[in-house]
Amino acid sequence: MTVYSIIMGLRVLSILIFLVVPGLWKIAPAIFAVFSSYFAVIIANAVGMFSKPVGKVQIPTRELE
């Protein structure tokens, strides 16, 4: 959640920079603003994918009827 918030804060900052910067220099903050939300969601969903499982899986001892 922290990384997501930081990236979204940078996205807002890039939108503000887009409003101030003249000419073709607007391309870089615009591209960052467009693609940063996608990467923020990918990173936020990937957290925990590479960590070890916390609990043990219980094997059922009898079949369900």
Side-chain angles (χ1 to χ4, degrees):
M1 190 68 180
T2 305
V3 175
Y4 180 81
S5 299
I6 291 170
I7 294 175
M8 287 296 112
L10 290 173
R11 181 178 186 223
V12 170
L13 184 64
S14 70
I15 292 171
L16 294 175
I17 291 172
F18 176 82
L19 296 174
V20 176
V21 175
L24 290 176
W25 289 102
K26 291 185 175 198
I27 294 172
I31 290 173
F32 182 79
V34 169
F35 292 108
S36 63
S37 60
Y38 172 75
F39 288 115
V41 170
I42 296 297
I43 292 169
N45 288 337
V47 172
M49 277 184 64
F50 304 105
S51 63
K52 294 181 180 177
V54 177
K56 293 183 178 180
V57 176
Q58 295 182 351
I59 300 172
T61 56
R62 65 183 181 113
E63 293 182 17
L64 297 176
E65 295 179 19

